[in-house]
Amino acid sequence: MAKRMDSLSPVLQAFIERQPIFFVATAAPEGRVNVSPKGMDSLRVLTPDRVAWLSVTGSGNETAAHLLQHPRMTLMFCAFEGPPLILRLYGQARMVQPGDPEWEEWLGLFPPLPAARQVYVLDVDLVQTSCGMAVPLMAYEQDREDLNHLHRRLTPQELEGYRQRKNTLSIDGFPTGLPVGGHRPPDCL
């Protein structure tokens, strides 16, 4: 049932582009494994072996902390409508943040989202599909706008304060490399 490939076929690329949600998994060598759901219009298939996704400010910043220690990442997509399918993309990822020379270029791939924090670029070295027959059928209604509404109400100072309180360390106490005042801390260069 499961199939392995080196890259995404056009059929799988189209499947990804139809999905309103995907899941990101990362882990540092020690500590907790993180799995996060992602939505909004925040993912782009760039080539058959490269994808990028835009991260906005949230209640944590685990992915950033983990990638600073080990660049492995897995993205997972599930068919909640139509024929069953689970798709996983495995590979090495890197983070692009405000202040990095290529930030504007990467950010330009996505619609403007308030509180954009990082773009993650995943170089895919393994694509795996599996049946997904146990994944429930669910109907997609719409994106939630709650996070965007919250971010639009915050002043730049309030957003920066929130990031400093909630996004500079992982739940295991690992630094995230979050830029401070638009500049990356020296130990993360």
Side-chain angles (χ1 to χ4, degrees), residues 47-107:
T47 67
D49 60 358
R50 180 177 274 184
V51 299
W53 63 274
L54 176 65
S55 177
V56 298
T57 300
S59 58
N61 201 4
E62 301 303 301
T63 301
H66 292 167
L67 290 185
L68 289 176
Q69 294 188 42
H70 198 292
R72 66 189 169 182
M73 179 183 284
T74 301
L75 301 185
M76 185 180 77
F77 306 83
C78 298
F80 295 107
E81 299 176 320
L85 177 65
I86 297 172
L87 171 64
R88 291 180 182 91
L89 308 180
Y90 300 92
Q92 303 293 302
R94 68 185 181 95
M95 173 174 49
V96 180
Q97 300 189 83
D100 289 343
E102 69 258 56
W103 170 249
E104 293 299 327
E105 176 186 342
W106 286 106
L107 186 63

Side-chain angles (χ1 to χ4, degrees), residues 116-134:
R117 183 176 60 191
Q118 295 114 340
V119 173
Y120 294 99
V121 182
L122 176 65
D123 290 316
V124 177
D125 57 38
L126 176 64
V127 174
Q128 181 189 40
T129 60
S130 56
C131 69
M133 291 181 196

Side-chain angles (χ1 to χ4, degrees), residues 94-171:
R94 68 185 181 95
M95 173 174 49
V96 180
Q97 300 189 83
D100 289 343
E102 69 258 56
W103 170 249
E104 293 299 327
E105 176 186 342
W106 286 106
L107 186 63
L109 295 174
F110 303 94
L113 290 175
R117 183 176 60 191
Q118 295 114 340
V119 173
Y120 294 99
V121 182
L122 176 65
D123 290 316
V124 177
D125 57 38
L126 176 64
V127 174
Q128 181 189 40
T129 60
S130 56
C131 69
M133 291 181 196
V135 174
L137 288 169
M138 296 187 288
Y140 169 71
E141 288 184 41
Q142 65 186 25
D143 285 340
R144 292 178 193 258
E145 287 294 322
D146 302 26
L147 191 59
N148 288 334
H149 293 315
L150 171 68
H151 289 151
R152 286 185 186 108
R153 287 194 310 263
L154 296 176
T155 67
Q157 296 78 17
E158 289 170 330
L159 178 60
E160 180 63 22
Y162 181 87
R163 285 178 173 168
Q164 294 307 309
R165 287 189 312 278
K166 300 284 190 176
N167 292 172
T168 58
L169 295 174
S170 75
I171 57 176

